[in-house]
Amino acid sequence: MASTAPVLSIRPATAADVPLIRQLIAELADYEKLAHAAVATDDDLRTQLFGQRPAAEVLIGEVDGEPAGFALFFHTFSTFLGKRGLYLEDLFVRPAARGVGLGRHLMAALARIAVQRDCGRFEWSVLDWNAPAIGFYRRLGAVAMDDWTVQRLEGAALHALAARDEL
């Protein structure tokens, strides 16, 4: 008897998905060895994703009707292009669902959103040790931006800079 291919589906998340989104974020954080950094609460996510001014959007990927992954994204803006961009903050597929094409379907859905919204680019960051993800992105046609490095202010350094009032 031949096995049937799994049914893959992508849908926008709703406020009812907040506990699922938080769980998927926790699973991603474990995979990235960053569980200590995943401190977002359901209330944080509900406010930031579904409040008056949503900061980001989420797609839920399902395999045979069961949640198996997510993509969290938001818009940026390119001064050079004069267009907004789509930035993928997180992409995660549960290990049991890997290899069936869900990640590729999530990425294609994001690319369609970028095209539909007239974005000039679709970009993301990936941890340099994550060879499986890097290989996946290369197979999709992504190009590394080796001349650029990510810079970050957070915690005390962010607050110290914000407290400066000199002109």
Side-chain angles (χ1 to χ4, degrees):
M1 182 169 166
S3 65
T4 60
V7 175
L8 307 180
S9 59
I10 309 293
R11 63 175 177 81
T14 68
D17 290 312
V18 165
L20 169 63
I21 294 166
R22 188 184 40 73
Q23 178 59 40
L24 289 166
I25 290 169
E27 292 174 34
L28 168 64
D30 283 342
Y31 174 76
E32 292 184 341
K33 302 171 184 66
L34 294 169
H36 64 281
V39 298
T41 66
D42 283 5
D43 286 340
D44 294 331
L45 295 172
R46 191 171 292 103
T47 299
Q48 296 302 320
L49 299 175
F50 304 102
Q52 280 189 308
R53 294 189 62 188
E57 299 173 65
V58 176
L59 296 178
I60 302 293
E62 298 177 336
V63 177
D64 293 330
E66 292 298 317
F70 81 111
L72 187 145
F73 64 99
F74 54 88
H75 286 286
T76 59
F77 186 78
S78 169
T79 54
F80 288 6
L81 296 176
K83 293 184 174 208
R84 63 184 172 170
L86 192 138
Y87 189 86
L88 172 61
E89 177 68 19
D90 287 317
L91 174 73
F92 178 72
V93 174
R94 288 177 161 156
R98 292 183 188 155
V100 298
L102 186 61
R104 188 175 65 252
H105 281 275
L106 282 163
M107 293 296 284
L110 292 167
R112 282 190 296 277
I113 290 168
V115 169
Q116 290 165 356
R117 296 181 185 181
D118 194 31
C119 294
R121 61 175 69 147
F122 170 26
E123 57 193 353
W124 59 92
S125 298
V126 60
L127 292 166
D128 60 4
W129 58 259
N130 194 344
I134 293 168
F136 169 68
Y137 297 138
R138 292 298 166 273
R139 289 189 299 278
L140 294 177
V143 176
M145 303 296 294
D146 292 332
D147 294 341
W148 296 84
T149 63
V150 175
Q151 305 297 304
R152 178 179 293 168
L153 276 175
E154 63 184 358
L158 173 62
H159 287 273
L161 180 59
R164 292 188 183 162
D165 60 2
E166 60 232 23
L167 296 176

